[in-house]
Structure formats: C-alpha cells, structure tokens
Amino acid sequence: MSELKRFFVQNIGEEILLDGEEFEHAKNVLRLGVGDEVILLDNSGVEYTAVIAKCEKKSMLLNLLGKKQGEREAATKMALAFGYLKNADKNEFIVQKAVELGVAKIVAFSSEFSSAYMNENKLERLNKVSKEAAKQCLRSVAPTVEYAPTLAAALEELGSYKNKLFACEFASESEVDVSALDGSTAVFVGSEGGFSKGEAALAREKGFSSVTLGKRILRAETAAIALTAVVAFSLGELGEVKR
Ligand code: SAH
C-alpha cells in the first residue's frame, strides 16, 4: 500500500482548509479530490488523518478523521549548523539530507571566510526544502532552518546542546569520541572557505569540541552530511542491530 499523501497546514480543527501551494500540489500534481484521505501535519509531531470533503478553485476543505503521535522523530535531539554556501543547490542538498537523517534544527551561518549572501527568499526556500524532505521521509516535523549572521550567533543558538561538536579541518584528532555519543548533539561544519583559527578558538571558548573527519579535506556539503550521519548512527538513530 502506498503511503497517504502528507501536507503541512497552519491550523487543525474539525474542518481544515488547505490552500496556497499545498492545495495546488494536492489538486494539480497529485490529482486528489473529494473522498481521498490524506495526512495533515502542523509541525507539532502529531499526524492527523483527514478526508477531502469539498474541492474548490483555490482551496479544499477537509474533515478530520483521527490523530496519532508521529513515530519517526529522532529520540535524541540533533542540530546541524553549516556555513552558508554560494551554491544554492548545495545549501538545499545539505538541508534535505539533514532532515532525512533526523535533525531537529538547522542553522545556516555566515562566517569569516564565507562570502555567500542570505536573504529572506533564500531562507524561505530552505524551509520549503525542509518541509518537502520531511514529507518524503515520513517525518511529522519539518525542522526550521534559521539564519545566523555570524558564527558567534550560531554558537550561541546551539549552546544548550549536551554534545557540541565543531568539524575542524585543521584538527589532527578529535577531542570527543563521536562513535559513542549520548544525549543531544549539535554539530558545526564550515563553508567552502573553511574556518579561521580565531573561529576555532571562539568555538572552543563556547564549549565546542573539535572533531576531525580524517586526513582528506571534504567539501563542505560532504562534511556536513558525513558528520551528521556519524552522529545519527552514534545516537542509535540509523537503526538497531539484531542481537
Ligand atoms: N577551504 C578549506 C576547507 C573547507 S572544507 C581549506 O582549504 O582548508 C569545509 C568544512 O568542512 C570545514 O570548515 C570543516 O568544517 C569541514 N571539513 C572538511 N574536511 C574536514 C576534515 N578532514 N576534518 C574536519 N572537518 C572537515
């Protein structure tokens, strides 16, 4: 059986209005109509089943059938902060893959050696990518993508995580064992320009531990996904081993 189609909406009640882009997608791309069942998400972690009751030109009306807690969110909170890249596709790639890997929060930051420019449209686009990825991998929560204008602001934003990791391309060894993590974990990965020594020092001052990803210099997007995947695995988020 194929999965029910999923849509993010603002307000859930007994009757739900679907309009805007989600409506267009439901009607024109998925060709859904009266009587079809769907899953509605409001980013609270709850999955609502609903049936399309009325379909009009610019919106459709749905009736609520039931609700249950989504079961696919990570048990342990993970966050990814990445240096905002010049190439829009690469930023989107990072967001998409991080969502699939289960992160709860994403921060794109500007730093000393990054020259990419963020604006509201680009941030909105990244949040849309997050939603699409969340739907595709059957999550009930789409992590918000935030922008931090400086590394310092991003470090501050994720300062409350238990494990704070900083992928440092000039570190020769890791200060923590990333294969045996326990508890909420935030990771930082630099942009194509990398981090300055001063930024690495600032991260240390803020309680972040350097980790190396080995002797090769990975592209920023490879590093972001590789480290997120290692962390997810370490926290048991990439499946259990049969014993
Ligand atoms: N331009 C830089 C490289 C930047 S790589 C240089 O020439 O040195 C982009 C980011 O990926 C880095 O800031 C770091 O966070 C991460 N990264 C890449 N390779 C890494 C490695 N071997 N160890 C740790 N982090 C790495």
Side-chain angles (χ1 to χ4, degrees):
M1 194 192 85
S2 74
E3 297 284 343
L4 294 181
K5 300 296 177 200
R6 305 163 82 85
F7 301 93
F8 279 98
V9 293
Q10 299 268 323
N11 298 306
I12 306 261
E14 283 306 309
E15 280 196 338
I16 307 106
L17 185 78
L18 193 68
D19 58 5
E21 280 184 17
E22 292 287 71
F23 162 74
E24 300 289 341
H25 188 66
K27 188 177 174 216
N28 302 327
V29 181
L30 302 171
R31 308 231 163 254
L32 298 178
V34 172
D36 287 329
E37 276 185 35
V38 299
I39 290 179
L40 300 175
L41 306 163
D42 63 356
N43 235 17
S44 67
V46 175
E47 295 181 357
Y48 303 84
T49 43
V51 59
I52 301 173
K54 215 195 264 177
C55 189
E56 289 172 345
K57 231 173 158 191
K58 296 236 171 253
S59 64
M60 50 176 69
L61 206 62
L62 296 100
N63 290 335
L64 191 64
L65 296 176
K67 63 176 187 176
K68 71 174 179 66
Q69 190 65 33
E71 288 164 355
R72 296 183 198 255
E73 291 309 305
T76 311
K77 219 172 160 198
M78 296 180 279
L80 167 67
F82 70 96
Y84 188 58
L85 304 176
K86 272 189 249 164
N87 183 312
D89 289 347
K90 290 186 176 176
N91 291 311
E92 291 181 15
F93 176 86
I94 291 174
V95 168
Q96 183 187 67
K97 302 309 164 203
V99 172
E100 290 171 32
L101 290 167
V103 305
K105 190 179 173 103
I106 301 173
V107 178
F109 61 84
S110 290
S111 58
E112 228 173 296
F113 300 149
S114 84
S115 49
Y117 166 74
M118 176 68 99
N119 64 25
E120 225 164 86
N121 284 345
K122 292 179 183 174
L123 192 58
E124 201 176 296
R125 170 76 198 144
L126 291 181
N127 276 287
K128 191 171 171 211
V129 169
S130 171
K131 280 188 178 153
E132 293 309 316
K135 288 196 251 180
Q136 185 275 331
C137 70
L138 307 181
R139 286 185 63 170
S140 44
V141 176
T144 45
V145 185
E146 291 172 21
Y147 173 63
T150 61
L151 175 67
L155 292 167
E156 187 77 37
E157 183 68 33
L158 299 180
S160 64
Y161 282 69
K162 180 178 172 208
N163 305 301
K164 298 193 267 290
L165 311 178
F166 187 82
C168 187
E169 63 270 33
F170 39 84
S172 52
E173 52 186 28
S174 295
E175 292 171 338
V176 287
D177 182 357
V178 287
S179 71
L181 296 171
D182 177 31
S184 65
T185 304
V187 308
F188 270 71
V189 175
S191 70
E192 57 275 83
F195 289 121
S196 69
K197 293 270 160 56
E199 288 176 325
L202 177 68
R204 166 154 307 121
E205 202 182 290
K206 298 287 176 191
F208 283 74
S209 307
S210 298
V211 298
T212 175
L213 293 168
K215 55 192 175 213
R216 288 171 294 281
I217 297 296
L218 309 179
R219 295 248 178 156
E221 66 276 22
T222 315
I225 302 314
L227 184 54
T228 305
V230 168
V231 165
F233 184 77
S234 177
L235 294 171
E237 289 298 338
L238 296 185
E240 308 219 329
V241 181
K242 189 176 169 192
R243 298 195 191 274

